[in-house]
Amino acid sequence: MLPTTIFWPLQEDVRAPGVCYGWASPTKVCVAGRFAEDVDLETARTRIRALRLDQHIQPAVLDLPDLDTCIIVQYQRYPSKSLRFYDIDNDSLAYSAGLDRSLISQLNLAHQIHSLVNGETVKLHKPTAAVLLRLAATVLRPALTLVYSLRLSFLTQLLPRSAVGKQLQTRANQVGSLLRGIDGLSTTSLTTGIPEYAQKYTAFFNELWLILNDITLGVAFGTFLRDNAQYLASTHLLDDLEAALTWLDSWPAGLKLNTELSRFYSRAFISLVHYWGGFLTRHVFDHTALLITFCGYASIIGGLSLLIALFIDILAFIVTPHITLCYRVACGVYSLEKAALGGLWALFRGKRYNALRNRMDTWDYDIDQLLFGTMLFTLLTFLSPTTMVYYFLFALARLVSLLIHASLEVCLAFMNHFPLFMLMLKVKDPSRIPDNICLLPSPDAAGNVLLLMVCGLPMFYAADWCTSAL
Amino acid sequence: MESATLTEEWKRVLWKSQPYPDNYVPPEVFLASLQRNAHFRPYTYWPLVFLACTITQHVSVILVFLGTFVRLNEHLLDPRTLIWACIASFLVCYAMWILLDRGKRHPNVQKSGDSNSKNHLKTLKSSIMVFLTLVSLSPVLRTLTAATSSDSIWALSAVLFLLNTLLADYTATNNAQHGEIHSRLTSVLSMNAAISASVVLASRLSTDISVFALILFAVLSFVLYPIMKPRLQGLSTGLWLFITAALCGFAVYLLAPLSTTVTAICAVVLFSITFVAPMLLVWAQKYKNNIRGPWDVAVPKVR
């Protein structure tokens, strides 16, 4: 027969007399606490029965076996207001030691049961947090509800691909989850599970903190933009691409470009850039200062994230559309030419692609087909460097604009979802973000009996964390 | 003792223990069934010269083409003259082709005659198409390689002409119909190389009309002439030899005013292809040593 494993809170002395209460199963006993010495068995039973908890968490008075024949594992009975708890990983080694999810939830519940039995009140959070929450519930809640009801969903439908629309949507979702967080955190029952509560608590304060940070930074940047709008409006963006096109037209760097085709290409693209530039100078550049001031106000109201989203949109819709258009044209010509060259090279060798068998077959072309094909092949071979160079120029420009876009998006994602509160907890109190569990040997006071101790491992723990924790 | 063992006769059996080493073979059996040059028919000189004429013709056509190009490039030749000459020779060839096909046709096969005339019409149509396309493409082709230096163009066209000469189909066959199908299968790459080379060369010319004339000439000499060649060869020996001589003479005549050295080299090359190379082959035949025997893989005899 296997020896019984007893999980014993570190706060109670193992050898002291008194009636214990907790949860028992055939091989495992979890002790939640112990009555004082003067409470007899009958009184203890009535007091436990008077708790009237749910079936699966209702404790019982324990009839402990002889302690010398048992394995004793000690655990920390974390006070519920500290919001510390145990958690177990799905592929943890501790499963083989008899720890499972139901036992972990009993360990987490022990302090609440202890408080209830001894007639103390159960508090789930600290006084400062309680004050903050009460403030949020009374002051923030009506304002947030107003914002949430004005979700501006038409804006996201109006601008389905704009970053501003997405950012407004994200912000509305954040406000919604803040509202739900206020409700969830302020209505708690006596036996709310610590892990769920702590998770909600962390998420709520993380979001709140992010939004406050966002607005603080936004006010700073917005003020800067508003005050320096005139200076920032005097910079120009369009001349570089034109200069590059003119450079390519003048046989640059020893490249053997076809003169006529290159001239055609550069003139077409320069006129396209000119057209867009003319549009910009006529309708946008006069109002750049206004635009920047508007950005500043948006940043003050909606935070730095809204400013970044606005910047992304300005880049995509005002500064780079001509690059995108030129890239699409050059890319289309280039890919067409590549495909044609592939087919004509097959013709040059007297072969043809057999689509049914997915291979090259020898094929009897007509004489005129061969003539045209060969001439076109020679033609395209000599023209391909030109198209390729122009394609590479615009691919490079597009790559740069995409890189800028992507880095701004990354900034935006950090502004919206960075786990700031989590990182702070990691520094301040790692036991509040547990990830896994382990068993450590621990000598008792006399030093001769080998006890085991349950030890929580926090998130991102190093390999030697448990030994250094001892 | 030794003489007693050697007197025992060697037998080709495995079950008996014999006083001979394992790899012993009696001297009278050794290599008895070896055959040297079993089905060897030695070449004779003059038929070889006759067959080599086709190579000579090919090389001299390329030389004629190059000579024409140089003349066009240096404005020694009026491109209009070349165009008219091309059109005239095309019409002559076309008429000859129709006449040859008609003379060959059997009276009892009516179907093939119909398909032949259809074939002729189709050829005429595609020739006109080629003509028009060449006219429209020549301005593009003229400016194609303006940015490339002349030296790389010469090198490229030399490589392409070499490829053309090496891969061309020189098989002589009397059956023109069969020969046509055969030439299509093997010498596509050769023909395409020659066309590419002439396009590249034509892009060095200065006027659109000379570009057009040169490419038209290239189409005639590298596409239509190889198709005509087997038919001419099958027609008569005298005509064949005359054409060869005429082409060689024309090539040398075209090159002579341009450069004496080049002319001498070309004449030597043509002469050695026609007369020296067959001589070398005949001389080299005495070193032919083709060993065959019962150890070879069996050759199936198809009857």
Side-chain angles (χ1 to χ4, degrees), chain B residues 182-198:
Chain B
H182 192 66
S183 79
R184 275 189 170 186
L185 279 178
T186 53
S187 59
V188 165
L189 191 54
S190 152
M191 191 198 100
N192 286 340
I195 293 292
S196 281
S198 43

mmCIF file of all heavy atoms in Angstrom, chain B residues 182-198:
data_model
loop_
_atom_site.group_PDB
_atom_site.id
_atom_site.type_symbol
_atom_site.label_atom_id
_atom_site.label_comp_id
_atom_site.label_asym_id
_atom_site.label_seq_id
_atom_site.Cartn_x
_atom_site.Cartn_y
_atom_site.Cartn_z
ATOM 1 N N HIS B 182 13.308 15.430 -90.749
ATOM 2 C CA HIS B 182 14.515 15.180 -89.983
ATOM 3 C C HIS B 182 15.209 16.497 -89.620
ATOM 4 O O HIS B 182 15.574 16.719 -88.476
ATOM 5 C CB HIS B 182 15.437 14.293 -90.821
ATOM 6 C CG HIS B 182 16.574 13.752 -90.036
ATOM 7 N ND1 HIS B 182 16.382 12.867 -89.002
ATOM 8 C CD2 HIS B 182 17.905 13.974 -90.115
ATOM 9 C CE1 HIS B 182 17.537 12.561 -88.473
ATOM 10 N NE2 HIS B 182 18.485 13.217 -89.135
ATOM 11 N N SER B 183 15.323 17.401 -90.625
ATOM 12 C CA SER B 183 16.037 18.644 -90.374
ATOM 13 C C SER B 183 15.309 19.472 -89.328
ATOM 14 O O SER B 183 15.929 20.130 -88.504
ATOM 15 C CB SER B 183 16.166 19.427 -91.668
ATOM 16 O OG SER B 183 14.945 20.084 -91.931
ATOM 17 N N ARG B 184 14.017 19.429 -89.309
ATOM 18 C CA ARG B 184 13.272 20.186 -88.309
ATOM 19 C C ARG B 184 13.584 19.723 -86.902
ATOM 20 O O ARG B 184 13.661 20.512 -85.993
ATOM 21 C CB ARG B 184 11.783 19.993 -88.540
ATOM 22 C CG ARG B 184 11.242 20.952 -89.555
ATOM 23 C CD ARG B 184 9.776 20.863 -89.576
ATOM 24 N NE ARG B 184 9.242 21.939 -90.370
ATOM 25 C CZ ARG B 184 7.960 22.179 -90.474
ATOM 26 N NH1 ARG B 184 7.104 21.395 -89.850
ATOM 27 N NH2 ARG B 184 7.527 23.161 -91.194
ATOM 28 N N LEU B 185 13.761 18.420 -86.760
ATOM 29 C CA LEU B 185 13.986 17.910 -85.414
ATOM 30 C C LEU B 185 15.350 18.293 -84.875
ATOM 31 O O LEU B 185 15.485 18.614 -83.702
ATOM 32 C CB LEU B 185 13.867 16.384 -85.415
ATOM 33 C CG LEU B 185 12.443 15.876 -85.375
ATOM 34 C CD1 LEU B 185 12.435 14.366 -85.421
ATOM 35 C CD2 LEU B 185 11.782 16.333 -84.090
ATOM 36 N N THR B 186 16.380 18.280 -85.733
ATOM 37 C CA THR B 186 17.717 18.415 -85.155
ATOM 38 C C THR B 186 18.251 19.830 -85.141
ATOM 39 O O THR B 186 18.977 20.203 -84.235
ATOM 40 C CB THR B 186 18.716 17.539 -85.919
ATOM 41 O OG1 THR B 186 18.592 17.880 -87.295
ATOM 42 C CG2 THR B 186 18.447 16.076 -85.706
ATOM 43 N N SER B 187 17.920 20.644 -86.148
ATOM 44 C CA SER B 187 18.722 21.854 -86.308
ATOM 45 C C SER B 187 17.977 23.121 -85.911
ATOM 46 O O SER B 187 18.280 24.195 -86.405
ATOM 47 C CB SER B 187 19.188 21.966 -87.750
ATOM 48 O OG SER B 187 18.058 21.994 -88.583
ATOM 49 N N VAL B 188 17.002 23.002 -85.006
ATOM 50 C CA VAL B 188 16.274 24.196 -84.552
ATOM 51 C C VAL B 188 17.201 25.161 -83.847
ATOM 52 O O VAL B 188 17.213 26.361 -84.124
ATOM 53 C CB VAL B 188 15.129 23.775 -83.611
ATOM 54 C CG1 VAL B 188 14.613 24.975 -82.872
ATOM 55 C CG2 VAL B 188 14.021 23.126 -84.377
ATOM 56 N N LEU B 189 18.027 24.619 -82.952
ATOM 57 C CA LEU B 189 18.935 25.467 -82.176
ATOM 58 C C LEU B 189 19.923 26.165 -83.116
ATOM 59 O O LEU B 189 20.226 27.351 -82.946
ATOM 60 C CB LEU B 189 19.661 24.609 -81.156
ATOM 61 C CG LEU B 189 20.442 25.358 -80.103
ATOM 62 C CD1 LEU B 189 19.546 26.344 -79.412
ATOM 63 C CD2 LEU B 189 21.016 24.394 -79.096
ATOM 64 N N SER B 190 20.397 25.414 -84.108
ATOM 65 C CA SER B 190 21.338 25.994 -85.072
ATOM 66 C C SER B 190 20.724 27.176 -85.793
ATOM 67 O O SER B 190 21.309 28.268 -85.876
ATOM 68 C CB SER B 190 21.740 24.894 -86.053
ATOM 69 O OG SER B 190 22.077 25.437 -87.278
ATOM 70 N N MET B 191 19.502 26.972 -86.283
ATOM 71 C CA MET B 191 18.831 28.037 -87.012
ATOM 72 C C MET B 191 18.588 29.248 -86.115
ATOM 73 O O MET B 191 18.849 30.396 -86.512
ATOM 74 C CB MET B 191 17.496 27.513 -87.536
ATOM 75 C CG MET B 191 16.842 28.431 -88.506
ATOM 76 S SD MET B 191 15.126 28.018 -88.639
ATOM 77 C CE MET B 191 14.428 29.247 -87.579
ATOM 78 N N ASN B 192 18.135 28.991 -84.892
ATOM 79 C CA ASN B 192 17.853 30.105 -83.978
ATOM 80 C C ASN B 192 19.116 30.871 -83.655
ATOM 81 O O ASN B 192 19.091 32.100 -83.535
ATOM 82 C CB ASN B 192 17.216 29.573 -82.703
ATOM 83 C CG ASN B 192 15.794 29.174 -82.934
ATOM 84 O OD1 ASN B 192 15.189 29.606 -83.893
ATOM 85 N ND2 ASN B 192 15.256 28.336 -82.077
ATOM 86 N N ALA B 193 20.238 30.157 -83.499
ATOM 87 C CA ALA B 193 21.504 30.842 -83.211
ATOM 88 C C ALA B 193 21.865 31.762 -84.363
ATOM 89 O O ALA B 193 22.261 32.918 -84.137
ATOM 90 C CB ALA B 193 22.597 29.812 -82.972
ATOM 91 N N ALA B 194 21.697 31.284 -85.589
ATOM 92 C CA ALA B 194 22.044 32.117 -86.736
ATOM 93 C C ALA B 194 21.149 33.350 -86.798
ATOM 94 O O ALA B 194 21.625 34.472 -87.045
ATOM 95 C CB ALA B 194 21.907 31.318 -88.021
ATOM 96 N N ILE B 195 19.853 33.175 -86.533
ATOM 97 C CA ILE B 195 18.938 34.321 -86.577
ATOM 98 C C ILE B 195 19.293 35.334 -85.498
ATOM 99 O O ILE B 195 19.337 36.549 -85.735
ATOM 100 C CB ILE B 195 17.477 33.853 -86.426
ATOM 101 C CG1 ILE B 195 17.048 33.030 -87.626
ATOM 102 C CG2 ILE B 195 16.541 35.029 -86.256
ATOM 103 C CD1 ILE B 195 16.955 33.819 -88.887
ATOM 104 N N SER B 196 19.583 34.832 -84.292
ATOM 105 C CA SER B 196 19.982 35.738 -83.212
ATOM 106 C C SER B 196 21.221 36.508 -83.596
ATOM 107 O O SER B 196 21.310 37.730 -83.391
ATOM 108 C CB SER B 196 20.296 34.939 -81.953
ATOM 109 O OG SER B 196 19.153 34.582 -81.309
ATOM 110 N N ALA B 197 22.208 35.791 -84.149
ATOM 111 C CA ALA B 197 23.451 36.451 -84.537
ATOM 112 C C ALA B 197 23.170 37.544 -85.551
ATOM 113 O O ALA B 197 23.719 38.661 -85.445
ATOM 114 C CB ALA B 197 24.418 35.430 -85.117
ATOM 115 N N SER B 198 22.289 37.270 -86.529
ATOM 116 C CA SER B 198 22.054 38.298 -87.537
ATOM 117 C C SER B 198 21.262 39.466 -86.966
ATOM 118 O O SER B 198 21.490 40.615 -87.359
ATOM 119 C CB SER B 198 21.353 37.713 -88.763
ATOM 120 O OG SER B 198 20.341 36.856 -88.374
#
